[in-house]
Amino acid sequence: MYRYPIRSIFRRGWLSSLLLFLSLPACAQRDTVNIVDWQFTRAELSPAQAHQGRGAWQSVRLPHDFQISQPWVAPAADEHADNRDQAANVKSRLSSRGFKEMGKGWYRRTFTPDSSWRGRRVVLEVGGIMLVGDVWLNGERIGGTEYGYVGFGIDISDRLRYGQENVLTVLADTRGPQNSRWYTGGGLFRDVKLIVTDRQLFFDRHPLQITTTDNRKVHIRAAISNYGSQRQTALAVRILDAQGHVVAHSDTLLALTRHRHTMEYPLADITIDHPHVWDLDTPYLYSAELTLRDDSGRVADRVTEPFGIRTIEYGPSFGFKLNGRKVILKGIANHHTLGALGAAAYPRAIEKRIKLLKDFGFNHIRCSHNPYSEDLYRLCDKYGVLVVDELYDKWLTQYSGGRQPWMNHWQYDVPEWIQRDRNHPSVIMWSLGNELQTYPNLPFNDWGVTPYRLLRTLLRRYDTTRPVTVAMHPRGRNWQTDSLPCDLAMITDIQAYNYRYMYFPGDGRRFPNMIFYQSEANLPMMGPNYFDMDLNRVVGLAYWGMIDYNGESLGWPRKGWDNGVFDRSLLPKPQAYMLKAMFTDKPVVHIGVAGGKEEAMTWNGVTFGGDKVTWHWNRMTGKRYTVYTYTNAEEVELRLNGRSLGVKKNSSDPKSRDKIRWDGIAYEPGTLLAIARNGGKEVARHEITTAGPLKRLALIPDNETWKADGQDLMHIRVLGLDAKGRRTPLANDTLTVRVSGPAELVAADNGDITGNAIATDPTTTLYQGNLLVILRAASKPGKVRVELVDKAGRVRGKCTLATE
């Protein structure tokens, strides 16, 4: 059994968040400048030419994915149209990478440092460069990354040229067909910042490690750098509640080591009386403010961060407990990309996905197969979502950047990853890799055992409060006999199997201390892979690819994965309501119509395909269809145009539970109605009705405030409606999105994974009456007008919004 102490969370705070380089007051103890506006080019340039600004450049704003706007590249005649036969030369070169050509992109930014920075410490912080990258300042290479999913910081204090223009250039490189198995995007896809602090006494990068005990005592370790001759510092800690009231404080006089040294200092314990506990339904967050003062009493540095309090516990008899209560992880495993936005990590887009998942009963995200943007963890903290945080896919050079051997950079990746994420209460487990134990050629040639032990040992230097695992390949058992787990499964804290939940009972009997987590589950077995597990004993599961995404195509013209329950535009498919029925206590019933068979496809040892279930009742007269009603009620009655087609009971069989099948339903125009009952009383209903041709467009913005901060997004759902206001699958019109006012179109997506529209192109199409338009606010408030114009130039739909 593993017991992990109550955690609290710390993120580096912003005392200032600026879109441009502005004058900073000389008395500021810590300032953050967010570098948003850049120049960009795909031209083949040398570092010197990029520094000089040769060639044609375009203005872009971060976060930015330069590949999402590129044309699609169809497979050549001698290539497979999909990812099959990975070892053969005939495989599709770009099917896994989203049929976007790999390449390089240059970013360039000029600025003149404010004179108040002179004599202070200035650090350039880069959230990540996809896929690998390098950074130059004034023509000098100052750093970079070999694994773009983790960030880095560079002290540029002595390299800045005051009183003159400085040039910052960044090269992002995605080349190499084997450097990833999925669409990665490319470029500066996360934040780039300058952090300005005191030069001699300051908090280091990712400085805090916070734990709590007894739901009351807060323990803080702080990494403090002293580059001067100061012997001691006064450190004040204040704990603030969600309303900003001080609930606890501590003042400590720390003895410092002298000169150019960073130390982790254990600080005095702080007690919070009657604290609020962080939980799924009540994700309460406090804030901690730490202040350093020098000998004169001047504030040298200050950081402010939110944190939460909770306990986690694991054991073979119960799986997982949060705050002493048994919890089943009901999760999703997806790549980090955001549909039409590509890899660009917009916080609002991440938030939209989290809220959608919560609404359908999900409580868990597995970060597959790399660390996400820090905003993901911050938002999971805010909304109460549990995270399994994963570092790598395979421990091989070709899957970890590809430019340098993996053995050369994992020692950097692990500390950066753990120190950044260790204080998020949402993070409950570390995963060091994915589907790698079938590779005998991993470093040290022992099926991954030695690399795991090395990585885990280094990880434990920075966090001891969570279990450590790797996700096991579905085909990977012991190299000598399939009757035993693989060697890695014998030494991980949690036994994480992709798809092979059927091994849990047998492995558990042989090895009673094993704790099981289904790190990937698939859509075709959606019921059994959940209900067949002993839910009282397992940790839970994460369904693979439940939001469709670019890359990992199952065959051209599909541009990516479409075996999810939400399409790429985030519109739920009928099967999403089966998960909602499984994951929530709220009464659910929803109709889906099987529209024919899809070709079965074996993927990674798992078969995908089967009935393609769609949402509408526009069918062929006289033809018979299979209908599904997804429900958690006791029984469902199905009616067609008022006639009862019978009543069917829900089943306790995992193969058909919450999924009632109705065969041979003869189509006739009208309304198909499902009524769900418990104890004979109606608890839910859902109907689908034959729709007519397109008559009008409905534009439905997010019900959110829209901030005029240059970063915030507005998602507008466009629905094609018939004369009676019903969404019609007959609407596939070509439209042009026109935006006026202080905002810009950043992407549009109709959910059609086979379509050829470019996400950033203002001319697009409806697909079965659906389109998602995504706008980005400018830096000033005002009214924004959105119009959808058809080929004839007629305005078919419009709305007016306001940024604040």
Side-chain angles (χ1 to χ4, degrees):
M1 182 182 298
Y2 296 88
R3 288 185 173 89
Y4 296 91
I6 306 167
R7 287 294 295 176
S8 63
I9 157 173
F10 221 105
R11 294 185 72 253
R12 289 169 300 153
W14 292 8
L15 298 181
S16 171
S17 179
L18 306 177
L19 297 179
L20 302 173
F21 288 94
L22 302 178
S23 297
L24 299 177
C27 61
Q29 62 274 349
R30 173 174 288 243
D31 293 283
T32 300
V33 179
N34 196 6
I35 314 174
V36 175
D37 295 294
W38 294 73
Q39 296 295 305
F40 172 78
T41 185
R42 289 289 308 273
E44 286 288 339
L45 301 175
S46 68
Q49 290 170 328
H51 169 71
Q52 295 162 6
R54 298 277 186 89
W57 297 71
Q58 66 181 100
S59 296
V60 299
R61 311 197 82 198
L62 304 191
H64 183 246
D65 175 2
F66 67 75
Q67 288 192 196
I68 199 67
S69 59
Q70 294 175 195
W72 305 107
V73 180
D78 59 349
E79 294 178 335
H80 279 318
D82 55 45
N83 274 0
R84 287 177 294 181
D85 198 8
Q86 290 287 331
N89 293 328
V90 294
K91 69 177 182 179
S92 177
R93 183 174 64 88
L94 295 175
S95 60
S96 61
R97 306 293 294 274
F99 295 107
K100 299 283 188 176
E101 190 60 71
M102 301 299 103
K104 298 187 297 183
W106 281 100
Y107 295 82
R108 187 175 187 271
R109 174 63 193 249
T110 62
F111 66 98
T112 301
D114 190 271
S115 59
S116 67
W117 296 359
R118 194 186 297 270
R120 302 181 69 197
R121 176 175 177 264
V122 182
V123 176
L124 176 70
E125 290 203 348
V126 181
I129 305 175
M130 192 50 50
L131 182 63
V132 297
D134 302 278
V135 182
W136 288 262
L137 179 62
N138 299 323
E140 175 192 4
R141 186 186 184 278
I142 58 173
T145 181
E146 301 303 330
Y147 186 58
Y149 294 105
V150 297
F152 57 93
I154 308 168
D155 190 332
I156 60 173
S157 308
D158 296 328
R159 293 184 170 98
L160 289 173
R161 298 172 181 174
Y162 288 93
Q164 58 182 291
E165 185 176 81
N166 288 242
V167 181
L168 191 63
T169 53
V170 178
L171 175 63
D173 193 343
T174 68
R175 293 172 300 173
Q178 290 185 313
N179 286 350
S180 180
R181 298 186 297 120
W182 55 83
Y183 175 80
T184 63
L188 288 174
F189 70 121
R190 297 177 183 165
D191 291 340
V192 177
K193 305 173 185 176
L194 289 180
I195 309 296
V196 185
T197 68
D198 185 84
R199 186 72 178 266
Q200 295 187 334
L201 184 62
F202 53 87
F203 291 107
D204 204 39
R205 179 171 168 81
H206 308 313
L208 299 169
Q209 183 177 16
I210 307 174
T211 58
T212 64
T213 55
D214 302 328
N215 278 10
R216 297 174 65 242
K217 294 180 180 179
V218 182
H219 315 282
I220 303 176
R221 294 180 65 87
I224 300 171
S225 291
N226 179 29
Y227 278 35
S229 59
Q230 189 159 320
R231 297 293 187 95
Q232 63 184 18
T233 181
L235 190 145
V237 181
R238 297 198 310 161
I239 306 297
L240 292 82
D241 65 16
Q243 290 72 44
H245 302 131
V246 176
V247 295
H249 64 88
S250 172
D251 295 311
T252 305
L253 194 63
L254 291 180
L256 297 174
T257 56
R258 294 178 60 186
H259 305 298
R260 295 188 172 274
H261 201 72
T262 300
M263 289 288 292
E264 286 192 3
Y265 291 88
L267 308 179
D269 293 343
I270 301 173
T271 298
I272 303 177
D273 294 323
H274 311 295
H276 298 276
V277 175
W278 186 93
D279 212 318
L280 297 176
D281 297 324
T282 56
Y284 194 92
L285 294 173
Y286 292 90
S287 294
E289 178 191 85
L290 275 71
T291 302
L292 282 174
R293 294 183 183 273
D294 63 16
D295 289 334
S296 68
R298 180 185 65 89
V299 173
D301 200 3
R302 176 179 290 147
V303 289
T304 303
E305 300 282 342
F307 73 93
I309 300 171
R310 54 96 175 118
T311 60
I312 60 173
E313 186 178 356
Y314 294 83
S317 64
F318 58 83
F320 171 72
K321 291 182 180 180
L322 177 66
N323 299 320
R325 174 177 58 90
K326 163 69 178 176
V327 171
I328 289 285
L329 299 191
K330 304 169 183 177
I332 182 174
N334 253 66
H335 295 303
H336 70 108
T337 50
L338 300 171
L341 297 168
Y346 288 93
R348 177 70 83 178
I350 298 170
E351 181 179 42
K352 186 173 183 67
R353 283 157 176 78
I354 289 175
K355 293 172 73 173
L356 175 67
L357 293 172
K358 286 280 287 188
D359 184 58
F360 275 78
F362 290 83
N363 64 14
H364 163 50
I365 292 173
R366 173 186 170 218
C367 297
S368 312
H369 305 291
N370 43 259
Y372 283 22
S373 163
E374 191 174 4
D375 285 306
L376 179 280
Y377 308 93
R378 177 180 60 82
L379 289 162
C380 287
D381 294 340
K382 176 181 177 180
Y383 287 104
V385 176
L386 302 169
V387 176
V388 171
D389 201 355
E390 193 159 271
L391 179 58
Y392 294 118
D393 183 19
K394 313 289 187 290
W395 299 329
L396 295 170
T397 299
Q398 70 186 78
Y399 298 123
S400 59
R403 188 167 66 172
Q404 286 288 327
W406 174 78
M407 285 291 290
N408 288 4
H409 60 85
W410 68 264
Q411 303 93 332
Y412 167 80
D413 299 339
V414 171
E416 171 66 20
W417 169 52
I418 298 298
Q419 289 181 96
R420 190 198 72 166
D421 294 348
R422 64 187 172 185
N423 294 315
H424 289 281
S426 57
V427 176
I428 60 167
M429 190 189 306
W430 305 116
S431 175
L432 289 168
N434 171 68
E435 293 187 346
L436 40 71
Q437 84 285 358
T438 60
Y439 290 79
N441 60 330
L442 289 171
F444 307 104
N445 199 36
D446 61 355
W447 306 91
V449 169
T450 297
Y452 172 80
R453 285 177 169 154
L454 287 170
L455 269 68
R456 187 181 185 276
T457 299
L458 181 57
L459 185 158
R460 287 292 186 225
R461 161 69 179 79
Y462 300 97
D463 183 72
T464 60
T465 67
R466 301 167 177 88
V468 183
T469 192
V470 296
M472 312 296 171
H473 193 287
R475 295 194 302 271
R477 299 290 280 172
N478 185 275
W479 65 278
Q480 292 178 311
T481 172
D482 280 347
S483 65
L484 293 174
C486 65
D487 292 355
L488 265 177
M490 301 299 294
I491 62 172
T492 54
D493 297 338
I494 305 295
Q495 284 60 51
Y497 295 177
N498 286 357
Y499 307 105
R500 293 300 189 255
Y501 62 92
M502 62 287 295
Y503 291 142
F504 292 173
D507 288 355
R509 286 191 295 271
R510 293 185 185 93
F511 306 100
N513 290 327
M514 283 188 167
I515 304 169
F516 296 105
Y517 163 58
Q518 192 180 167
S519 35
E520 286 179 24
N522 66 336
L523 183 147
M525 295 289 289
M526 188 184 290
N529 53 28
Y530 182 74
F531 292 119
D532 262 348
M533 296 192 300
D534 185 347
L535 298 178
N536 293 319
R537 299 174 66 92
V538 300
V539 172
L541 86 177
Y543 281 99
W544 178 257
M546 290 294 95
I547 302 176
D548 292 349
Y549 56 86
N550 290 335
E552 293 189 300
S553 167
L554 295 179
W556 180 268
R558 288 185 282 191
K559 308 307 187 299
W561 183 266
D562 61 344
N563 274 279
V565 299
F566 305 99
D567 71 22
R568 202 175 48 188
S569 78
L570 303 182
L571 207 61
K573 302 176 188 179
Q575 296 99 318
Y577 293 89
M578 180 175 174
L579 283 178
K580 190 169 188 176
M582 293 163 52
F583 286 172
T584 68
D585 295 327
K586 180 181 178 180
V588 173
V589 67
H590 199 89
I591 300 171
V593 182
K597 287 281 186 179
E598 287 192 306
E599 177 188 1
M601 178 72 70
T602 300
W603 180 270
N604 223 2
V606 180
T607 299
F608 292 87
D611 287 338
K612 185 175 180 64
V613 180
T614 53
W615 60 274
H616 59 83
W617 193 235
N618 281 64
R619 305 290 167 172
M620 295 181 64
T621 301
K623 190 172 181 180
R624 294 182 178 273
Y625 293 88
T626 295
V627 172
Y628 294 98
T629 49
Y630 303 110
T631 188
N632 50 15
E634 295 172 0
E635 64 182 26
V636 171
E637 180 184 7
L638 193 64
R639 295 178 182 175
L640 178 58
N641 292 327
R643 303 190 317 273
S644 178
L645 302 182
V647 176
K648 291 193 176 185
K649 299 286 186 181
N650 203 343
S651 173
S652 60
D653 183 347
K655 294 183 177 61
S656 54
R657 181 173 172 178
D658 292 354
K659 179 183 178 181
I660 300 175
R661 177 174 176 140
W662 309 74
D663 288 318
I665 304 300
Y667 172 73
E668 59 183 62
T671 298
L672 191 63
L673 170 66
I675 302 173
R677 298 186 180 96
N678 286 332
K681 181 180 179 181
E682 180 180 332
V683 293
R685 63 168 52 198
H686 177 240
E687 67 179 35
I688 55 177
T689 301
T690 307
L694 175 67
K695 290 298 182 181
R696 65 182 181 89
L697 299 179
L699 279 67
I700 308 168
D702 278 349
N703 292 320
E704 308 277 0
T705 56
W706 193 13
K707 299 176 182 177
D709 60 2
Q711 296 282 80
D712 201 9
L713 300 181
M714 177 65 73
H715 296 76
I716 304 174
R717 177 70 63 189
V718 180
L719 297 179
L721 306 180
D722 70 3
K724 295 185 177 180
R726 299 171 297 212
R727 177 186 164 200
T728 173
L730 306 176
N732 298 295
D733 299 47
T734 297
L735 299 168
T736 297
V737 183
R738 293 199 309 215
V739 181
S740 58
E744 62 177 339
L745 173 71
V746 289
D749 192 352
N750 61 17
D752 180 14
I753 206 78
T754 66
N756 292 319
I758 303 300
T760 55
D761 193 333
T763 298
T764 184
T765 62
L766 292 171
Y767 175 66
Q768 294 189 352
N770 171 55
L771 178 66
L772 183 68
V773 173
I774 308 174
L775 306 181
R776 178 174 180 161
S779 301
K780 61 178 182 179
K783 290 186 177 181
V784 178
R785 184 178 178 85
V786 182
E787 296 179 332
L788 297 174
V789 182
D790 65 16
K791 288 182 177 180
R794 296 173 298 180
V795 176
R796 301 296 301 274
K798 61 185 178 180
C799 68
T800 301
L801 308 166
T803 60
E804 301 175 359

